[in-house]
Amino acid sequence: MAVDYAVIVLYLAGMLAMGWWGMRRAKSKSDFLVAGRRLGPAMYSGTMAAIVLGGASTIGGVGLGYQYGLSGAWMVFTIGLGLLALSLFFSARIARLKVYTVSEMLDLRYGGSAGIISGVVMWAYTLMLAVTSTIAYATIFDVLFGMDRTLSIVLGGAIVVAYSTLGGMWSITLTDMVQFVVKTIGVLLLLLPIAVIKAGGFAEMKAHLPDDYFAPLGIGGQTVFTYVLIYSFGMLIGQDIWQRVFTARGDKVARLGGTAAGTYCLVYAVAGAVIGTAAKVLYPHLGSPDDAFATIVKDALPVGVRGLVLAAALSAVMSTSSGALIACATVANNDIWSRVKGVAALRRRPAAEPRTEHAGDGGGAEARAEAHDEVRGNRVFILLMGLAVIVIAIALNNVVEALTLAYNVLVGGLLVPILGGLLWKRGTAAGALASVAVGGLTVIGLMVSLGVLANEPIYYGLITSLVAYVVVSLFTRPTDAAVLDAWRARLAGRADGGPEAGASADAEADADDEPEGDTAGAVALALKLPFAVRQA
């Protein structure tokens, strides 16, 4: 095992080195949170695939293959379908908004009234997503070193928190690219063919297993439908996914890079199910389906290769964990804490306090100091959220229930107002708030009464959320024309109502979301509290 240990240790050291290097590039809020909005197609598609394919997609995907056969691919397959839908139909518009969070998008669309509630819902979702990813370290480090569960979570979580805190999205992007390459080699190019060969090939697998293992819907049609509702729609609205869309340097990169990543997910889904099916032939009596991945890696792979494949599993977990962590911290800082702090600042500030203009180098120095403070503030929030994630992960045992709870609340509460805002101009802030409240409460109530893993909560949650959105929107005043004008300007890529945005990536990064010129009043109305906070 010495060679395998060396591979893992070198990989972990490389992750920390990437974090240190990323720290040198994170000079502004845009750099720290969205990698300066300047990723090209190769890096964008690699990092997008890395974040959506985590421990659940790798270890859980193989486990579903072990339990249900090839139809076990459906969970990860629906993730790929959701990413394809996001990339083809929505990513260009999302990227042109030049915001940092989903709640900022809702502020723009509805006039600043829906952000705080949606921020709390999104924060809860990203927190639980980070927790479930962090718990997966226990499985991997147990296989590697026979390490105690708590120590495994602390070790894996500490490494992710360290490189995420140091360099923000730049560090996470660099580490995700390494993780994408390691996953591709370890899972697709090594584990997949070796597992099939060890099981005797597909003919031998079919001879040893029931026909249901090779049926397209062997897992159950209702289960597939539920996966589509939870995971495909979850891909359309998750802060962790949107924050990656914001890193694209243009519409074309977001669309084509995301399509490539979605296609990769479909291939990865089938590979995981095939590996799990092969494991069922080799080890038919495992105690838990989720043990299939670790067992086949430990017993079927040669020295060195085993270390690389375990590093691939670690990569899958770390990429999702770091992406969820920075999303959680971004929402907590920008959508919750900044609003609370802004309200307090506005109450303390005299109504007629004059604004101080800075001339010469003084203004530039102040701007640089402010940018440094924003980066430092976001670093603090990543550190705090990371510590909270580690503590919750140690205390929590049921990963599947935690992940299902997170996705049910996210989709049931936020899918309708987000997609409604993008597709239906008659939707109003009151309708959005009603949709979030009714859908979220319905989902939570039904999960309490029927069980977290029941299918009905998400069904009825979406129905009630849609009804509340449409009915309340139709019975309330339409959204103010100035708000809609500012919204349409942002969707068209004109951050200030002027020429098309995109002249240069650096200019976009410097001018992120700052309203200027004659449209300042309209944008202020669209942003309300966030704009007032910046002016204060």
Side-chain angles (χ1 to χ4, degrees):
M1 290 292 290
V3 176
D4 296 325
Y5 291 161
V7 171
I8 297 296
V9 170
L10 285 174
Y11 168 77
L12 295 176
M15 295 300 98
L16 291 174
M18 291 287 184
W20 185 261
W21 188 86
M23 182 176 67
R24 300 164 63 94
R25 300 203 61 170
K27 304 296 185 184
S28 68
K29 178 180 179 180
S30 178
D31 286 334
F32 193 82
L33 294 183
V34 290
R37 305 188 195 273
R38 49 180 179 260
L39 296 191
M43 188 165 281
Y44 176 85
S45 59
T47 57
M48 181 63 86
I51 187 176
V52 300
L53 296 173
S57 300
T58 304
I59 299 171
V62 171
L64 287 172
Y66 183 89
Q67 188 172 3
Y68 298 105
L70 299 186
S71 66
W74 273 110
M75 184 188 77
V76 183
F77 204 84
T78 55
I79 290 174
L81 292 177
L83 186 53
L84 284 173
L86 174 72
S87 302
L88 292 172
F89 303 118
F90 299 106
S91 63
R93 280 184 280 183
I94 292 171
R96 286 196 294 266
L97 288 174
K98 295 292 184 288
V99 295
Y100 292 104
T101 67
V102 174
S103 294
E104 286 183 39
M105 168 264 170
L106 292 172
D107 276 343
L108 276 170
R109 171 60 182 82
Y110 296 112
S113 302
I116 185 65
I117 295 178
S118 63
V120 172
V121 173
M122 191 64 74
W123 173 78
Y125 156 72
T126 52
L127 180 70
M128 294 310 298
L129 184 61
V131 166
T132 56
S133 302
T134 303
I135 291 173
Y137 296 129
T139 300
I140 298 170
F141 283 110
D142 178 54
V143 173
L144 282 172
F145 309 116
M147 194 177 290
D148 174 73
R149 178 182 183 275
T150 298
L151 185 58
S152 299
I153 291 172
V154 171
L155 176 61
I159 292 171
V160 169
V161 171
Y163 73 69
S164 300
T165 302
L166 285 173
M169 187 59 82
W170 269 122
S171 293
I172 292 171
T173 297
L174 295 170
T175 55
D176 278 358
M177 275 305 297
V178 175
Q179 290 159 355
F180 170 74
V181 172
V182 171
K183 274 194 290 193
T184 302
I185 295 173
V187 175
L188 297 185
L189 302 183
L190 292 176
L191 183 58
L192 174 61
I194 290 173
V196 173
I197 291 170
K198 289 277 187 182
F202 283 102
E204 193 71 15
M205 289 161 63
K206 291 196 74 170
H208 279 80
L209 296 173
D211 291 340
D212 286 350
Y213 267 69
F214 302 91
L217 294 177
I219 198 171
Q222 188 180 31
T223 300
V224 174
F225 181 63
T226 303
Y227 284 161
V228 170
L229 289 182
I230 294 177
Y231 297 113
S232 296
F233 286 150
M235 288 296 105
L236 298 180
I237 59 175
Q239 169 67 25
D240 51 325
I241 310 302
W242 277 42
Q243 200 156 342
R244 293 311 172 97
V245 175
F246 300 151
T247 65
R249 72 179 176 213
D251 298 359
K252 190 173 181 181
V253 170
R255 186 181 298 111
L256 297 182
T259 301
T263 305
Y264 179 89
C265 291
L266 303 183
V267 175
Y268 200 87
V270 175
V274 171
I275 293 168
T277 305
K280 183 67 175 179
V281 174
L282 295 170
Y283 318 102
H285 304 297
L286 292 178
S288 167
D290 285 341
D291 293 337
F293 180 87
T295 303
I296 196 169
V297 168
K298 196 171 184 179
D299 294 348
L301 299 183
V303 172
V305 173
R306 180 171 50 208
L308 184 60
V309 174
L310 286 172
L314 199 57
S315 297
V317 175
M318 283 187 162
S319 57
T320 300
S321 181
S322 59
L325 177 59
I326 193 171
C328 178
T330 302
V331 171
N333 188 16
N334 291 269
D335 292 336
I336 300 174
W337 173 244
S338 67
R339 294 168 189 269
V340 173
K341 186 172 64 173
V343 169
L346 288 174
R347 286 176 177 172
R348 289 194 306 267
R349 179 181 175 185
E353 179 182 322
R355 293 196 50 156
T356 303
E357 299 295 337
H358 297 272
D361 292 338
E366 181 169 315
R368 287 192 294 272
E370 185 177 347
H372 177 73
D373 286 344
E374 286 186 324
V375 172
R376 183 176 61 185
N378 281 290
R379 278 200 177 104
V380 169
F381 267 87
I382 289 180
L383 180 60
L384 292 175
M385 293 300 105
L387 293 175
V389 163
I390 291 172
V391 170
I392 296 171
I394 291 171
L396 200 63
N397 286 317
N398 197 317
V399 181
V400 175
E401 287 194 0
L403 190 62
T404 303
L405 173 66
Y407 269 99
N408 277 353
V409 173
L410 172 73
V411 175
L414 291 182
L415 178 69
V416 171
I418 291 173
L419 294 189
L422 289 169
L423 301 174
W424 190 40
K425 66 179 182 180
R426 186 60 181 83
T428 66
L433 289 171
S435 178
V436 173
V438 172
L441 291 174
T442 300
V443 165
I444 293 171
L446 289 176
M447 282 193 293
V448 170
S449 61
L450 301 177
V452 173
L453 299 179
N455 292 323
E456 290 81 4
I458 190 61
Y459 299 163
Y460 293 112
L462 280 174
I463 292 171
T464 56
S465 179
L466 178 60
V467 171
Y469 182 70
V470 172
V471 171
V472 176
S473 292
L474 291 177
F475 280 89
T476 52
R477 289 184 59 187
T479 305
D480 191 281
V483 173
L484 289 178
D485 286 344
W487 167 253
R488 283 190 286 265
R490 294 292 280 268
L491 279 180
R494 300 189 301 274
D496 59 358
E500 288 289 324
S504 78
D506 291 333
E508 290 175 356
D510 292 339
D512 272 340
D513 303 336
E514 290 299 329
E516 298 176 330
D518 294 335
T519 61
V523 178
L525 180 61
L527 292 174
K528 283 190 176 174
L529 178 58
F531 179 59
V533 171
R534 284 199 296 273
Q535 294 295 73

